[in-house]
Amino acid sequence: MYVAAKGGEKAIRNAHKLLAKRRRGNENLPSVTLEQIAAQLTLAVDRVMAEGSLYDTHLAALAIKQARGDLIEAIFLIRAFRTTLPRFGNSRPLDTGDMLVRRRVSATFKDLPGGQLLGPTFDYTHRLLDTSLAVPDEAGEVDDQAGAAAMRADEADPAEKMPRVTDLIGAEGLIEASPADDGEEPFDITRAPVSFPVDRATRLQTLARGDEGYLLALGYSTQRGYARSHPFVGEIRFGDVEVILDVPELGFPVSIGEVQLTECQMVNQFKGSAEQPPQFTRGYGLVFGQCERKAMSMALVERALRWAELGEEPGAPAQDEEFVLSHCDNVQATGFVEHLKLPHYVDFQAELDLVRRMRREASGRTPADEMKEAAE
Amino acid sequence: MPQTSENHSQDNEIAARRAALATLARARRDELESMIERLSPLPAASELRPAEVGLVMLRGRTGGDGAPFNLGEATVSRAAIRLEGGATGFGYRLGRDVAAARRGAVIDALWQDPARREAVEAALAPVRARLVAEAGTVRAETAATKVDFFTLVRGED
């Protein structure tokens, strides 16, 4: 039961002032700018955009600054902001095959057309703290960097398209095809209440904005044997994808800019039947920004949720659609967990009375006995 | 079906306008300002619709090439103007810079005037050159991180 609490206005006002002061920190140091956050804490910005489900680097940087670096608080701010804006429409589906690739690796094929491109990755770094970063403008030395300037190759072919790895194995029929586009509008969880069971598009939308840590743990659980699916990273790619919007007043589609996306194609163990020879199955991950851990986790969980369609045994946590999808949103989760610290005095008073009565009943004493005892 | 030449030239015109709009959507605010300066004096522009910020739902495809799903939204600015005695122009761009969207709309309207098109295309050229150069830098930097993994032969036992 919720009961309105009154009072505390002055304390709340002062607490907010104190919060602003603590956010600012030492005033002898310059205030961090949104441009610095957007340019130097890019992966935090990407995570806030992905889980805030709103692509806008400057807004994400502002939210991170306002939230003092608490990313879930920042995601909450972004979600709240998006409800204030009208929606102009839906983009044409983004074409990840036409990406300006900044990173692309495959764990299944070493010689793939277009090559393995490591890009800006933590992979193969030594994971040693680089103390030179503590000194402004000094180049890192731990990982053999020769200054911050990136090396450039001369032979980059601007026209080279990079086929998705799944297209390569798909051509041989060794892997299941993606579900066909039948022209139906995909379900939108931001516009209509979800009722289970849901289709694959609904799962993908929910997972794409889901909490990275939660999906990481569930994805990990599938590797440890809870809905094992023998995954391989068919491909991870990260880069810039064009956004195309149909503009009714113009009567033709317009390219309105680029967004950065990470895509993970997970290739999993076979499924075959009397009618169809065995083939690889797939899990799919697509996330705003450079969020590779999240894209991989999403693909693992997405694959686990397909157990019924693929005729697998259920029973593992990652296969439980209602459980996985109902708890992956960190804004909902933090709202419900954190509301526990708000005043519950009336609720608790009722419980106190109840526990007192139960104890009395258990000891066989009556309120009259207690009154007598207290008086003595 | 064979196209009439009139249809064909109309298609070409739409393709050229789409290319101009794509460049305008990516032009920085300072670039748009210098384009406007370069194309001045301009006829007065009136709003067809107040410039505003809104959202577009970005869609992905299951597996990269399959059925669509809703991935998440992006902020978009848009503007629609009419030049005095001239065409209507539209500006759509990612982000919340409505002033930039409005400048884009003005330049789109100017582009539609055959007498001005050449000048607008010339003003767009530096932006196009920057975009090509930036993409080239990304490709070259990424290409420098290309690896050739090789599998070691396992020892015989």
Side-chain angles (χ1 to χ4, degrees):
Chain A
M1 182 174 67
Y2 295 90
V3 178
K6 259 178 82 78
E9 289 91 345
K10 191 173 165 206
I12 290 169
R13 213 167 32 242
N14 288 344
H16 291 172
K17 280 186 188 151
L18 186 57
L19 169 68
K21 184 177 177 190
R22 293 289 180 264
R23 175 194 298 125
R24 177 60 183 85
N26 183 348
E27 289 190 36
N28 294 322
L29 295 171
S31 177
V32 65
T33 67
L34 300 191
E35 287 70 26
Q36 287 171 333
I37 294 171
Q40 295 176 46
L41 299 178
T42 41
L43 302 187
V45 167
D46 286 352
R47 183 167 178 190
V48 170
M49 293 198 299
E51 294 171 33
S53 201
L54 183 64
Y55 198 100
D56 187 317
T57 49
H58 276 79
L59 273 184
L62 172 62
I64 290 168
K65 180 170 178 171
Q66 185 178 335
R68 307 173 67 191
D70 178 340
L71 298 190
I72 292 183
E73 181 71 20
I75 290 159
F76 197 156
L77 293 170
I78 291 296
R79 290 276 188 91
F81 179 82
R82 71 159 280 284
T83 64
T84 66
L85 295 176
R87 190 184 284 179
F88 295 160
N90 303 303
S91 79
R92 293 259 174 114
L94 303 163
D95 183 3
T96 54
D98 197 27
M99 178 184 276
L100 172 61
V101 169
R102 291 170 184 266
R103 167 166 167 78
R104 187 256 204 146
V105 291
S106 170
T108 51
F109 295 94
K110 64 185 171 67
D111 302 309
L112 71 169
Q116 305 255 5
L117 301 161
L118 293 182
T121 180
F122 294 125
D123 295 353
Y124 311 107
T125 61
H126 296 114
R127 264 71 183 225
L128 299 173
L129 275 177
D130 180 357
T131 50
S132 69
L133 286 173
V135 185
D137 303 323
E138 196 166 298
E141 285 164 10
V142 171
D143 289 304
D144 306 323
Q145 296 169 42
M151 301 299 289
R152 297 179 55 148
D154 301 325
E155 77 278 14
D157 177 0
E160 191 171 38
K161 271 218 182 187
M162 291 195 200
R164 283 178 290 250
V165 163
T166 41
D167 300 339
L168 301 174
I169 11 179
E172 276 188 76
L174 296 177
I175 192 163
E176 61 169 343
S178 298
D181 181 357
D182 55 9
E184 207 174 298
E185 283 288 294
F187 186 86
D188 186 350
I189 63 168
T190 68
R191 290 296 164 104
V194 172
S195 65
F196 294 98
V198 296
D199 63 8
R200 207 169 161 190
T202 308
R203 285 184 211 144
L204 285 165
Q205 184 183 11
T206 311
L207 296 173
R209 51 161 40 195
D211 183 77
E212 177 174 317
Y214 175 85
L215 294 179
L216 174 67
L218 283 173
Y220 179 44
S221 76
T222 70
Q223 289 182 283
R224 291 193 63 252
Y226 296 90
R228 196 188 290 283
S229 62
H230 302 273
F232 292 97
V233 168
E235 186 188 87
I236 288 171
R237 59 171 59 196
F238 156 64
D240 306 3
V241 178
E242 183 178 32
V243 178
I244 297 173
L245 179 68
D246 280 301
V247 177
E249 60 264 36
L250 283 171
F252 53 80
V254 176
S255 170
I256 60 171
E258 267 93 26
V259 292
Q260 296 197 330
L261 298 176
T262 305
E263 179 184 61
C264 174
Q265 302 272 3
M266 206 62 88
V267 175
N268 305 72
Q269 218 170 43
F270 330 107
K271 189 216 171 204
S273 65
E275 302 86 52
Q276 206 171 21
Q279 57 178 185
F280 287 106
T281 57
R282 299 162 69 172
Y284 188 63
L286 187 66
V287 186
F288 285 161
Q290 187 175 8
C291 293
E292 206 160 293
R293 185 185 302 119
K294 162 76 178 281
M296 294 176 73
S297 304
M298 175 175 170
L300 287 171
V301 174
E302 203 265 326
R303 173 62 183 77
L305 290 172
R306 296 181 59 214
W307 65 270
E309 174 195 349
L310 297 171
E312 294 166 346
E313 285 296 312
Q319 292 170 310
D320 187 333
E321 176 178 274
E322 200 275 337
F323 182 87
V324 170
L325 300 183
S326 300
H327 301 108
C328 74
D329 190 301
N330 56 24
V331 177
Q332 284 175 3
T334 205
F336 205 46
V337 168
E338 292 203 54
H339 101 283
L340 289 175
K341 67 195 170 184
L342 302 177
H344 281 68
Y345 308 131
V346 176
D347 274 354
F348 190 68
Q349 195 62 47
E351 303 248 327
L352 259 182
D353 288 346
L354 180 64
V355 78
R356 283 195 178 119
R357 197 165 62 238
M358 288 163 70
R359 283 166 65 93
R360 267 195 313 266
E361 285 163 11
S363 65
R365 282 139 47 109
T366 64
D369 292 339
E370 269 174 36
M371 293 282 279
K372 208 168 134 199
E373 224 166 76
E376 279 164 2
Chain B
M1 200 168 68
Q3 281 186 314
T4 65
S5 67
E6 194 184 320
N7 273 343
H8 196 67
S9 81
Q10 204 177 5
D11 285 353
N12 281 345
E13 169 133 346
I14 288 176
R17 188 169 170 206
R18 286 181 62 193
L21 286 167
T23 307
L24 290 168
R26 290 158 175 79
R28 293 189 308 247
R29 186 190 273 220
D30 60 303
E31 289 172 328
L32 290 164
E33 273 163 19
S34 58
M35 284 168 76
I36 293 276
E37 207 168 300
R38 192 170 156 170
L39 296 166
S40 291
L42 303 179
S46 57
E47 320 294 320
L48 280 182
R49 180 178 58 207
E52 60 179 338
V53 177
L55 301 171
V56 164
M57 174 56 86
L58 304 184
R59 287 183 168 165
R61 288 191 182 280
T62 308
D65 57 354
F69 67 95
N70 292 306
L71 176 64
E73 289 161 313
T75 53
V76 173
S77 309
R78 71 176 177 189
I81 60 97
R82 183 190 298 281
L83 290 182
E84 205 172 72
T88 55
F90 296 91
Y92 272 85
R93 57 190 287 134
L94 286 175
R96 285 165 297 122
D97 192 342
V98 285
R102 191 180 185 282
R103 289 190 179 92
V106 169
I107 297 168
D108 173 48
L110 292 173
W111 185 92
Q112 292 169 74
D113 178 354
R116 283 189 179 259
R117 187 164 305 168
E118 202 176 321
V120 174
E121 287 287 335
L124 286 168
V127 183
R128 289 189 167 128
R130 173 181 65 80
L131 294 170
V132 167
E134 283 176 359
T137 300
V138 169
R139 284 196 185 89
E141 285 175 352
T142 308
T145 68
K146 189 170 186 166
V147 282
D148 297 307
F149 287 116
F150 53 91
T151 313
L152 298 176
V153 178
R154 290 189 186 180
E156 299 295 320
D157 52 8

